[in-house]
Amino acid sequence: MKANTALCFLLLGLALYLQEDENRSRSRIARPLIILALLIASVTLIEIAFSLDLGIDQLLFSDTPDSIATSAPGRMSAPTAVAFVLTGLVMLFHTIEDRARQLIILLAIGIALSAFVSYPLNLVFGSSLFSVTGMALHTSTLFLILCSALLIERPASGWLQILFSVSPLGDNTRSLLATAILAPFLLGWLIFYGESVGWYEAGLARSTYSVAVMLLLAIVVIYNAQRLYEAESTQKLLQTDLRAVQVQLQAFLEFSPSALFVKDVSGRYQLVNSQFEKLVDKSSQEIVGAVAQNLFKGPVLDAVLGSDQTVIETKNIVLTEVTLPFGGEQRTYLNTNFPLLDPQGAVEYIGGIWTDITEQKALNDALNLKNVELERSNKELEQFAYVASHDLQEPLRMVSSYMQLLEGRYREKLDQDAKEFIDYAVDGANRMQRLIQDLLSFSRVGTRGKPPQPIDSSIALQEALQNLKMAIDESNAEVKADDLPIVMADKNQLVQVFQNLIANALKFRGEKSPQILVSVKESNGFAGFAVKDNGIGIDPKHSDRIFVIFQRLNPREQYEGTGIGLSVCKKIVERHGGRIWLESKPGKGSTFYFTFPLAREEQVPSEHVVEKSDKINQESIQERAERLI
Ligand code: ADP
């Protein structure tokens, strides 16, 4: 390798390295280096063309007389100088169009490759066309490396894009290129080697080479055609699938009652259905490619742009409600905007569904209004029941006490009929009083109820049993109870529920003395209580009716009552977010179930915890089991 050649490689190599440097002052040094290399190569070309000696060839080192002859001692060969000019130009002018750039580099590769290939052929033949070029083997190698570096520098441009692409087309191009370069060379080398060592005549070698290259190219063409055919078949299949999907999608789009669209991230509509066309009163040709500003205005436009922005920023579904004129009236739409992501997870398109909710909204509004109205009238009714029952008590008390006075004072003067009438009147007044009291307690559930707080339901049960002590003793009843949990309740109301249910169990007893069991099961944050009796039972067909106010199943002469107790229980339980129901068979006793929310651990005051653990200590497992059985 001549000294100037080595120098030019150093200059270009260094320039290539410096060009990539982030530091601008360093990368700026690259240009003079390239210009210097270009200058050396160009001057050499002038020297060769005009047989001059401008004295640059042996500036650094003087050539020994026995070195490979180029046109003058120490001078680089013409192909080397041309290759330097080509690579230097490519490096100097960045703005050269990609394909032109690649063509120039290919030209340089061609020159270097010719020299490179000539060496093995020279080895075989002693001399060849290429040996007169005078380019050293390491020079051509370095050119190949330099050119490859220049190509790889911009892999995603021009035809290199295909060569480097990770796709079947890329694979194909790479293997074809490798075959086209290597196969004729190796084949040629092998055949001509055979000729040189005397295996066969020169003529035979040439015709064998021609036939072999023909065959090889034919194989490559057929192989490639085969692959192309396969690719085409696959593509056809995919096209058929795609068409089917398109038809299906089109059907969905067109039959959808909602207006649908897809737009790109810059806001240009890509796809709309006929509902959307009707909505904006434009044809799809007018809409596709247009932006929201061309279709909407005012607050609707603001809502559309705002939700697009939010979808892009958050990659979430965004719901907005817009009202716009359609078919001569204002209609409300629920606009569901959602992102369509590319494989890298970036928003590629925005999809949207506009659903007409005008009727639904009107219904909802009407329902809400009715609810408010209902709530108000319920309150009013409750208030009315309370005031009426409260105020009725006084005159009633007067009627019954004067009746009793009448009976006491004029007993002697009245006949049997009059006495009987007075008894009826007193009895009626008493019943009315009970009714009024029950009504009062019913209306008090809502008006006087206290906010729920942690209550030990065992204590509430004990209180209810205490209130019913006389009735329990009289009926000779046996009441058993589980260890009950702490629930969130208004204590008085929980007592009232236990009391009403146990009072009913005592009242509606059968032949046998009453046996009542209160048990509990905890699940999903609720305590499910069960009050089981062995009374007369209830036909399941009445299991809803008995919770309605004033509904009774038995005649008053047989069982006293007002028909309010269970409706009070239902009102209390539901006020606490629970539910009450019944399982029963006539003659087989009844079980009333009701639920109350359990107190969460952090809501339970510490004294409850102590109380609970004491209870557990007092009662052994054995005792508990016996009690429950
Ligand atoms: P009341 O007890 O004043 O009649 P309730 O609302 O408490 O009113 O009960 C409604 C009806 O449900 C009762 O009249 C009775 O027919 C039936 N019932 C309630 N509890 C029981 C029970 N433990 N056993 C049988 N029937 C019952």
Side-chain angles (χ1 to χ4, degrees), residues 504 507-508 533 538 546 551-554 561-563 565-566 590:
N504 276 352
K507 181 161 59 171
F508 299 105
D533 65 41
I538 298 166
I546 55 167
Q551 294 294 332
R552 312 196 65 237
L553 304 178
N554 311 97
T562 55
L566 286 181
S590 322

Side-chain angles (χ1 to χ4, degrees), residues 23-67:
N23 186 329
R24 282 198 45 85
S25 59
R26 280 224 222 141
S27 66
R28 228 177 279 145
I29 306 174
R31 265 183 99 73
L33 298 182
I34 300 169
I35 292 172
L36 186 59
L38 265 174
L39 216 65
I40 295 171
S42 318
V43 171
T44 307
L45 277 180
I46 292 170
E47 281 182 333
I48 296 169
F50 300 104
S51 304
L52 299 172
D53 186 355
L54 298 173
I56 61 158
D57 301 327
Q58 302 197 75
L59 217 59
L60 296 175
F61 303 98
S62 52
D63 220 5
T64 52
D66 61 336
S67 66

Side-chain angles (χ1 to χ4, degrees), residues 438 500-509 531-539 542 545-555 559-569 582 584 589-592:
D438 283 357
N500 284 357
L501 294 179
I502 294 169
N504 276 352
L506 297 172
K507 181 161 59 171
F508 299 105
R509 62 175 177 264
V531 178
K532 183 175 164 48
D533 65 41
N534 59 343
I536 59 172
I538 298 166
D539 189 332
H542 299 305
R545 194 158 80 88
I546 55 167
F547 292 104
V548 178
I549 192 163
F550 301 131
Q551 294 294 332
R552 312 196 65 237
L553 304 178
N554 311 97
Y559 296 99
E560 267 287 311
T562 55
I564 296 179
L566 286 181
S567 52
V568 169
C569 293
L582 155 84
S584 179
S590 322
T591 308
F592 282 87

